Structure formats: structure tokens, C-alpha cells
Amino acid sequence: MKHYISWTGIIIMLCVLTSAQAQVRIAFVGNSITIGDKLSNPSVECYPNQVNLLLKEVYGDTCQIYNSGVSGRTMFKTGDFPIWSENLFKSCYAWEPDICYIMLGTNDTKTQNWESCGGGAVFLKDYKAMIDTFRYKNPDILFMVAYPPPAIIDNYEIRNAVIQDSVIPAVDSIVNYADAELVDLYHLLLDSTHLFDPDGIHPNKEGA
């Protein structure tokens, strides 16, 4: 069963967590979309910081945000640029977040990754390994997992058909595996070309 996230769901999550501790640690794991590539002021305009600003309006300084996105990175452990190898990701894991938001899969759709690394079965296996990795540090962690945005243009060797037909079903399996909340950015942005950079891959400022 899919759990679609809403701001109400986030508020419920945070109410439970803030009742038990002073600050809630929220980690974002992703790629160039997460760090705000193509934005004029990425650290401010990227969506993790936008979430941070919105949460501050409601909760003040009770939430801490950690953006561990790295451009070009894959969920595949054997991909061309796996997120697993990044010090930023390792630091995020050591930080022991209370909520972990994961949006990976865009770069995994490249031919040199998807076909070479084993396709959907291995992508799902590595995704489950990421869930288990964070749970090892914090057994009470809550997960939010996202469908990647659509590739409005198949660019940088990223293929929208693989996102739609293979990445999204894998994320559906992770929702059940991790009892996670699902963030559906794919269908939300599918008909919103105006919310993307001209490259068709990265959201523009309004999209972020």
C-alpha cells in the first residue's frame, strides 16, 4: 500500500519526534536536483532549503536539515558515480537522521548504469541496502522516498522511459519495504515544462 506524503503527514511525523527530543534531524539524499544544480543560488533556492524555511515557519529552530546531494550520483553501488562513495553521504549516515528523504534514480537510468549494473533488480537491492544502512544507525528512523521528476527531455543520457517503467516500480517496492511515505514528483511535474531548466532535467527556481 502506498503512503502519499502531504504537509499534514510531515507535521504528524515532526510532532511525534519533537515531543521526544529538542531537535529533529532531517537528511536529504540525492543528486544534482537535490543540490539545486542550474539554480542561480543553489544553497538558498534548492528544495531542501525551501523545506527548511517552511518548517521554520511552523517549528522555529526545532528541525535541522542536512543536504547530502551530490551531482551525477547513482543509487547503484557499481554505477559510474555511486553516492555510496561520497564523504558527504558517509557523514550523513553518521549523523543518524530521524527522517531521511531519498530521491535517487535519475542518473541510474543512463545506459552505462542501468544496463551495466544489472537493471531494476540490482537497483532495488541497493535501495534496500541504503534503507538498512540508515536503520542500522537509527532503528527508529522514518523514511520519505520520492519518484524522481520526469526527464522532460532525454538529456545527459538520462532516459524518461526507464524512470517511468523501472525506477518508479522499484520505489513503490521500497515504500512497502521501509513503510515509507511516498513523494510523487514524477506525476506532479509531468506536464509542467515551465518548471524546468531548458535542459529538461533540472527544475528551475519556481520548480524547486
Side-chain angles (χ1 to χ4, degrees):
M1 180 179 178
K2 296 179 183 177
H3 304 268
Y4 289 93
I5 193 68
S6 65
W7 280 110
T8 302
I10 294 174
I11 289 170
I12 291 172
M13 277 185 179
L14 291 169
C15 284
V16 171
L17 289 167
T18 53
S19 66
Q21 62 184 51
Q23 288 191 311
V24 176
R25 298 180 297 276
I26 307 173
F28 288 81
V29 180
N31 48 40
S32 59
I33 297 172
T34 301
I35 63 172
D37 194 24
K38 302 297 182 180
L39 299 175
S40 59
N41 192 351
S43 63
V44 174
E45 296 171 357
C46 68
Y47 73 83
N49 190 58
Q50 294 303 309
V51 171
N52 185 37
L53 295 175
L54 289 168
L55 292 175
K56 278 187 176 181
E57 291 180 7
V58 180
Y59 296 103
D61 293 325
T62 61
C63 300
Q64 290 181 295
I65 300 292
Y66 192 108
N67 188 346
S68 66
V70 182
S71 182
R73 268 46 188 178
T74 67
M75 176 63 78
F76 282 126
K77 291 184 176 181
T78 56
D80 51 0
F81 298 107
I83 190 70
W84 300 85
S85 302
E86 297 299 317
N87 288 332
L88 199 60
F89 173 75
K90 295 173 183 177
S91 297
C92 179
Y93 162 68
W95 192 54
E96 300 184 30
D98 301 297
I99 299 174
C100 185
Y101 175 99
I102 303 171
M103 191 176 75
L104 287 164
T106 300
N107 296 300
D108 297 84
T109 69
K110 298 175 182 178
T111 300
Q112 69 264 30
N113 291 318
W114 197 261
E115 279 76 10
S116 299
C117 296
V122 177
F123 180 80
L124 179 58
K125 178 176 70 71
D126 290 348
Y127 211 134
K128 287 181 176 179
M130 183 171 288
I131 297 296
D132 295 341
T133 296
F134 279 101
R135 275 187 172 157
Y136 179 79
K137 292 292 283 187
N138 178 10
D140 297 320
I141 189 172
L142 301 174
F143 289 99
M144 299 164 63
V145 295
Y147 293 162
I152 301 299
I153 302 170
D154 282 3
N155 201 358
Y156 311 118
E157 300 183 74
I158 293 164
R159 297 173 292 172
N160 187 65
V162 180
I163 295 175
Q164 177 179 291
D165 299 335
S166 300
V167 173
I168 285 177
V171 174
D172 286 339
S173 295
I174 291 298
V175 170
N176 294 322
Y177 180 78
D179 194 25
E181 299 288 350
L182 174 64
V183 182
D184 184 355
L185 294 181
Y186 184 87
H187 296 98
L188 178 69
L189 297 171
L190 189 57
D191 298 318
S192 302
T193 304
H194 65 288
L195 296 179
F196 284 82
D197 182 83
D199 70 2
I201 299 296
H202 300 91
N204 58 26
K205 180 179 178 180
E206 185 182 358

